[in-house]
Amino acid sequence: MWYNWLFLPSDSRMCKNLNKYNNSLEFQMWFTRLFCMIFEMIHIDGLPETCNERYFKMCLLNSGTACLVEKDGVILSLGASPEGEYNVYGEWKKALAYGFNTPVGTFELYMPGAGNEDSADAVLCRANAMQYPPIFQIYRMAEKLADATRTLDTLGRQLKNTRIVLCEESMVKSFVSIMKKMYDNELVTYAGKSIDPDAIKNIPTSIDANLITTAWDNYRNLIDVFCTQWGIGNTNHTDKKERLVVAEVQGNDAYTECNKAILVESLNRFAADANKVFGLDITIRYENGGESNENREDSETERWSDGGCESGGGED
């Protein structure tokens, strides 16, 4: 398994199938990028020094749950799975807490409304109401983006190699060598005298260059969909050639904020419970380092058109 223990060939020529290698590598790059994007946006401030924020967030994204437990007077941040019975509302009564390579023990979970804050020695954190592991969503989008970018690679190569060459069997190796040099962007390609131009026939296989534009649009749309799903501000692939009012430009902000709340509200509930049970001061931040929706201007928005910079607002 490459995840967490990543081993790649140092040279792509070590692979028998270069396309398979590139497909796998493209997926790994996108998965790592998307996972780290979400991972680094989650900030859990105020954890005790005995806790590891990185491991806590890893458990949350990989399993959908994590927990804080108190063991021998020390508070630890661990993974969590259900242990024993559920209560009448389907809540875990106890959790099996585990570290990276070993179970730590079974702990009584705090349940709001049960009045067990004095006896509880663990607080559960959920990534969402369903406790569904976010890593699956990241995995599927990484597959889609890897396929989209590999499509761009394929179309780009088809634009460079736009014909099928029919020739004698004895000339095939020579033509393969020539095409490799052309693919490597060599300015001048030399061919031996053994190649007979009269014995060669070209079959054009050119593609519509607009397919490249369509493929880029698909790629950008996928990026915007992922950002919207995770509450990250994005342009929603707005057509910049049109005059747009602010309401149109920010048309998906409400949906973006709703998706952001799915994770943030679960984390805030955990922070409130942990602060109550353990007397801590945990706070949650979910930041992408960009301009927040609240800081955007509510006035006209400028957009570039073919004729220059125009102010949004549309026609009166």
Side-chain angles (χ1 to χ4, degrees):
M1 181 64 175
W2 57 267
Y3 176 52
N4 270 344
W5 297 273
L6 177 58
F7 295 99
L8 291 174
S10 58
D11 192 331
S12 60
R13 289 173 296 182
M14 295 172 60
C15 296
K16 294 181 180 179
N17 189 321
L18 180 58
N19 287 328
K20 246 178 129 177
Y21 169 84
N22 285 333
N23 290 341
S24 177
L25 184 61
E26 192 79 16
F27 168 76
Q28 292 179 34
M29 290 189 299
W30 272 114
F31 179 86
T32 302
R33 176 65 181 263
L34 298 181
F35 188 94
C36 291
M37 181 191 302
I38 303 305
F39 184 91
E40 296 299 340
M41 287 183 62
I42 302 172
H43 304 273
I44 306 175
D45 301 323
L47 287 173
E49 293 183 357
T50 51
C51 294
N52 186 299
E53 183 185 8
R54 177 184 180 275
Y55 182 68
F56 188 86
K57 292 192 295 185
M58 279 287 193
C59 292
L60 199 62
L61 294 179
N62 289 338
S63 305
T65 56
C67 65
L68 286 189
V69 306
E70 184 174 4
K71 182 177 175 63
D72 300 328
V74 176
I75 297 177
L76 304 173
S77 54
L78 302 170
S81 60
E83 178 77 4
E85 299 179 351
Y86 292 77
N87 71 3
V88 68
Y89 299 114
E91 300 277 359
W92 302 359
K93 288 185 176 181
K94 296 182 178 180
L96 175 63
Y98 55 86
F100 184 73
N101 57 1
T102 183
V104 175
T106 300
F107 299 86
E108 180 185 350
L109 285 172
Y110 167 70
M111 290 183 290
N116 70 330
E117 55 266 24
D118 293 331
S119 60
D121 49 12
V123 174
L124 183 68
C125 180
R126 298 175 173 88
N128 48 67
M130 297 288 293
Q131 299 173 194
Y132 187 79
I135 194 172
F136 295 136
Q137 183 180 351
I138 296 171
Y139 185 97
R140 284 292 291 129
M141 186 56 73
E143 284 187 324
K144 295 176 187 292
L145 282 165
D147 184 61
T149 48
R150 288 294 288 142
T151 297
L152 284 167
D153 291 341
T154 302
L155 291 174
R157 293 184 67 175
Q158 286 180 304
L159 285 175
K160 296 177 70 173
N161 303 319
T162 58
R163 67 194 63 202
I164 296 174
V165 179
L166 298 181
C167 62
E168 297 294 334
E169 189 71 26
S170 59
M171 291 188 285
V172 171
K173 289 186 178 180
S174 297
F175 269 108
V176 170
S177 177
I178 291 171
M179 296 306 295
K180 284 183 177 180
K181 291 178 180 179
M182 293 175 63
Y183 180 67
D184 290 336
N185 298 314
E186 292 194 18
L187 182 61
V188 179
T189 304
Y190 299 94
K193 293 182 178 181
S194 61
I195 295 180
D196 182 6
D198 296 330
I200 299 171
K201 182 179 179 181
N202 293 325
I203 302 178
T205 59
S206 58
I207 64 168
D208 185 354
N210 289 326
L211 289 174
I212 295 286
T213 302
T214 302
W216 270 111
D217 288 342
N218 178 53
Y219 159 75
R220 295 189 184 102
N221 282 329
L222 288 172
I223 288 288
D224 286 342
V225 166
F226 180 81
C227 289
T228 298
Q229 290 175 342
W230 284 95
I232 303 171
N234 61 89
T235 61
N236 196 27
H237 199 44
T238 303
D239 187 351
K240 296 182 180 181
K241 293 183 180 180
E242 299 180 0
R243 292 167 58 90
L244 300 170
V245 296
V246 172
E248 293 173 316
V249 176
Q250 301 180 8
N252 74 326
D253 281 1
Y255 185 47
T256 301
E257 288 298 315
C258 179
N259 283 310
K260 178 180 178 180
I262 291 175
L263 179 59
V264 173
E265 289 304 314
S266 291
L267 291 173
N268 282 335
R269 281 193 290 268
F270 154 75
D273 292 344
N275 293 341
K276 182 177 182 179
V277 173
F278 299 126
L280 303 175
D281 187 23
I282 296 175
T283 56
I284 303 299
R285 290 182 294 119
Y286 190 71
E287 300 174 349
N288 63 350
E291 182 183 14
S292 65
N293 290 341
E294 291 78 12
N295 292 333
R296 294 180 183 175
E297 295 182 1
D298 291 332
S299 58
E300 294 180 340
T301 301
E302 290 185 338
R303 280 289 177 267
W304 285 94
S305 69
D306 292 337
C309 184
E310 300 179 341
S311 294
E315 301 295 336
D316 293 332

